[in-house]
Amino acid sequence: MSRRFPDDAFRPGGSDAELGDAQDPVASLLDIGQALGSELEPPQALGRVLESLERDRSIVRGAVMMLDEQTGEIRVEVSVGFRAEARQARCRLGEGITGQVIESGHAVVVPAIDREPLFLERDRDRRSGETFICVPIPVDRRPAGALAVEVDDHPSRDEEAAQRFFAVVASMIGQALKARRSIGKSRRRLMDENRGLRMLLQERYDFSGVVGKSGPMRQVCEEIAQTAPTDATVLIHGEPGSGKELIAQTLHYNSARATRPIVKVSLATLPATAAESVLFGQEENAAIARCGRLEMAEGGTLFLDDVDQLNGVTQARLLRALQDREFERVGGIGTHRTDVRVIAATSRNLQGRVAAGAFRADLYYRLSVVPIFLPPLRDRRSDISLLIDHFIARHSQHYGKPVSRISAPAMDLLLGHHWPGNVRELENTIEHAVLACDGEAIHGHHLPPSLQSSLVSGIPIQTSLGGAVEQFEKDLILDAMQSSRGSIAGAARLLNTTERIIGYKIRKYSIDPWRFRLQAPAGTAAAPTSGEEP
């Protein structure tokens, strides 16, 4: 007949002889704790636990049974001493002694299992004189499984003490499973976040992130598409602010190395003496070593901005790393292998520096396996309006502003600017305007003062209050005409006035509605105008 015992905490209440075992129970628990705390996978760790119980506590058979909460099925996770068919056994909650233990959360001890009617038919092959002990495995205060063991009957065995011992083992298993589940959830969450961030990066730096439909930019996009899947070294030429780093990131995130890091080094910001140790690392002695950016980028991409700033010694080291795929740390003697794709960038005439002897010719040719030339913004003016729309959308979303468009006078002002700072200057200008704008449209007075000064426009600022008001009124009408595609009626509705007043203002300011009708997208009919001609 089976007996139930309360699940007390472990109390060392009997001698080893009373337990009928040879080993100190504390030593056994220490061995079990080390197995559960190891880096082994759960099945291997649980197998070690049963092996320890078999060796130290003289169990005849043992199994860790786990409950599948979705199906309600109880299966054998690991076992020792059972036949193959017994290891494949399944039962449900409340079925057999194990099912009752997991359902109730109470331990059961069966002194003579050959006379116990609760045992299932498939479990009737035991020998007489064996004791069965089954204790629940608690996880978050709920039974998640059971530890079931069979031991030879021993005259001096304290069954209650043995039950308490195996309850402690089951509790340790439960704590280990809880910790592993928590770690698994955190790992999955981190992997999901990492996967999501990589997808965002790939979306941000796919070819659509390279904004521009002008001829020079189409050529750049074709070169990126051809080069990105390869491991070819790339040298990007372009003025400051033209987007060299964006091109490097687009090359990386569209290559087979996209899941590995891209490490960026701005050589212009490093002292000439520090560039060597930053790139290749440094060893002060055998115990103190610092890896360089080249090692950090292992398997990925190393982006060297302003590569023309390298001194002669560092140029030689970089050439060897590119040619032989190996390098030494500064002060070190060991050789390190490397698998890194190098993308370099320069805003200077590197061929001229080669001719002047300031840059190694062999390194220049090794870097420029694929040269990409980024045009300055002044040579791709047809892309300015596309870039403006792109930056308005980006920064209005970032700052939570309702800005969605730019007025015609403000657009004219931006199109007429020389942009010595290229795309970076344009983006900073639009970011400033989005922050300054308190409506849906950017107007001229939202742009930085430098764009409106006489220094930029070349026109002296000589105006009165009335003239400033008239200019603002003209800007509003131009913006409304642009939004309505040249429709006088549409502009009147946007400005909450009459068509007659809009017609009068159009004549006053010499505004040509056809200019805006011609800007309508291809295949879209121009908006109808009022019957009243200006």
Side-chain angles (χ1 to χ4, degrees):
M1 180 65 64
S2 64
R3 296 193 295 273
R4 298 180 183 274
F5 296 99
D7 295 325
D8 298 331
F10 173 66
R11 300 190 306 271
S15 67
D16 295 341
E18 290 173 328
L19 291 174
D21 298 310
Q23 294 294 325
D24 178 9
V26 176
S28 296
L29 293 176
L30 178 61
D31 189 30
I32 290 168
Q34 290 176 341
L36 292 172
S38 67
E39 295 183 357
L40 294 172
E41 291 298 316
Q44 287 76 24
L46 293 174
R48 291 278 184 90
V49 171
L50 293 181
E51 291 171 3
S52 176
L53 293 176
E54 187 180 34
R55 180 183 66 248
D56 300 337
R57 313 313 301 170
S58 302
I59 67 171
V60 177
R61 282 176 287 271
V64 175
M65 315 283 287
M66 298 305 299
L67 170 66
D68 187 329
E69 294 185 353
Q70 293 184 345
T71 64
E73 187 179 64
I74 301 169
R75 69 182 187 281
V76 177
E77 189 73 18
V78 293
S79 66
V80 293
F82 284 98
R83 295 178 304 172
E85 57 267 25
R87 292 196 297 268
Q88 303 299 321
R90 298 286 189 273
C91 64
R92 304 189 70 80
L93 281 176
E95 184 181 5
I97 292 180
T98 303
Q100 291 184 10
V101 167
I102 297 177
E103 184 178 49
S104 66
H106 295 290
V108 171
V109 175
V110 182
I113 60 177
D114 58 329
R115 296 191 299 272
E116 174 54 57
L118 286 177
F119 267 86
L120 300 177
E121 288 298 326
R122 57 177 172 267
D123 295 326
R124 288 187 178 274
D125 59 348
R126 273 74 172 182
R127 296 174 300 170
S128 62
E130 291 180 358
T131 298
F132 177 78
I133 302 174
C134 186
V135 292
I137 297 175
V139 176
D140 290 329
R141 300 182 179 180
R142 295 176 56 191
L147 171 64
V149 298
E150 298 175 19
V151 295
D152 284 327
D153 194 15
H154 194 283
S156 62
R157 184 186 302 278
D158 184 340
E159 293 178 354
E160 189 172 348
Q163 181 267 328
R164 287 199 302 268
F165 173 81
F166 289 115
V168 171
V169 175
S171 180
M172 294 172 65
I173 293 174
Q175 290 297 323
L177 291 175
K178 179 181 178 181
R180 288 176 182 269
R181 288 179 183 180
S182 177
I183 293 172
K185 288 180 181 178
S186 299
R187 183 178 298 170
R188 285 192 297 271
R189 185 179 68 254
L190 289 173
M191 290 178 65
D192 290 342
E193 291 177 358
N194 184 272
R195 189 160 40 248
L197 288 172
R198 290 194 181 279
M199 289 178 64
L200 286 174
L201 286 171
Q202 287 179 332
E203 289 173 5
R204 181 172 182 180
Y205 296 113
D206 65 3
F207 295 115
S208 64
V210 183
V211 180
K213 295 183 178 179
S214 62
M217 286 309 296
R218 283 200 301 270
Q219 181 177 350
V220 168
C221 289
E222 290 174 3
E223 292 170 344
I224 294 174
Q226 293 172 354
T227 309
T230 72
D231 275 345
T233 307
V234 179
L235 179 60
I236 306 171
H237 301 261
E239 294 182 0
S242 57
K244 297 185 291 295
E245 184 175 335
L246 172 64
I247 299 302
Q249 293 182 117
T250 303
L251 287 166
H252 172 74
Y253 286 110
N254 287 277
S255 72
R257 299 176 180 264
T259 57
R260 302 295 298 163
I262 175 171
V263 178
K264 308 164 194 172
V265 184
S266 178
L267 297 169
T269 63
L270 296 176
T273 54
E276 192 175 1
S277 60
V278 168
L279 287 178
F280 302 102
Q282 187 168 2
E283 289 185 12
E284 298 180 13
N285 52 55
I288 303 176
R290 184 174 67 248
C291 67
R293 300 298 190 271
L294 194 62
E295 289 178 79
M296 293 180 184
E298 180 64 25
T301 302
L302 179 66
F303 174 54
L304 301 176
D305 199 7
D306 297 301
V307 70
D308 51 88
Q309 300 291 328
L310 289 175
N311 59 35
V313 175
T314 312
Q315 289 179 34
R317 280 181 173 269
L318 179 59
L319 178 63
R320 184 190 174 196
L322 289 172
Q323 289 185 160
D324 302 334
R325 298 290 181 180
E326 59 184 29
F327 66 96
E328 291 93 23
R329 293 176 180 152
V330 176
I333 57 175
T335 299
H336 299 266
R337 298 290 299 174
T338 179
D339 174 25
V340 172
R341 181 186 192 180
V342 174
I343 299 176
T346 180
S347 57
R348 304 175 69 174
N349 181 1
L350 211 52
Q351 283 184 314
R353 291 181 61 79
V354 169
F359 200 86
R360 294 179 63 114
D362 46 5
L363 177 59
Y364 169 75
Y365 293 120
R366 192 67 187 81
L367 288 172
S368 58
V369 173
V370 178
I372 294 179
F373 293 87
L374 273 180
L377 192 54
R378 61 181 174 273
D379 292 345
R380 42 182 292 219
R381 291 194 173 276
S382 59
D383 293 333
I384 292 178
S385 59
L386 295 175
L387 287 165
I388 290 171
D389 291 339
H390 175 74
F391 292 139
I392 288 176
R394 173 188 292 181
H395 292 296
S396 61
Q397 180 182 15
H398 177 72
Y399 292 111
K401 305 275 283 186
V403 184
S404 59
R405 54 197 174 89
I406 185 169
S407 67
M411 177 68 82
D412 290 341
L413 190 58
L414 295 175
L415 291 173
H417 188 54
H418 186 61
W419 300 114
N422 290 293
V423 179
R424 183 186 296 124
E425 182 186 2
L426 175 60
E427 181 173 9
N428 292 341
T429 298
I430 298 302
E431 184 176 6
H432 171 96
V434 167
L435 286 170
C437 183
D438 53 1
E440 295 183 357
I442 294 174
H443 295 280
H445 59 278
H446 295 135
L447 299 176
S450 60
L451 278 164
Q452 306 173 56
S453 67
S454 58
L455 181 62
V456 174
S457 63
I459 302 172
I461 300 178
Q462 297 178 352
T463 186
S464 62
L465 177 61
V469 170
E470 287 186 347
Q471 183 60 48
F472 182 68
E473 183 180 57
K474 180 180 178 181
D475 289 350
L476 287 175
I477 294 172
L478 285 169
D479 186 33
M481 294 296 293
Q482 181 186 38
S483 300
S484 65
R485 300 294 186 186
S487 169
I488 296 175
R493 284 193 299 270
L494 288 173
L495 296 175
N496 196 23
T497 186
T498 65
E499 297 180 35
R500 186 181 64 81
I501 291 177
I502 292 296
Y504 167 74
K505 298 295 184 181
I506 285 175
R507 290 191 295 272
K508 176 181 178 180
Y509 296 123
S510 301
I511 297 173
D512 182 10
W514 281 103
R515 167 192 173 187
F516 304 101
R517 297 174 198 172
L518 293 174
Q519 291 178 358
T524 302
T529 61
S530 166
E532 179 184 2
E533 292 298 330

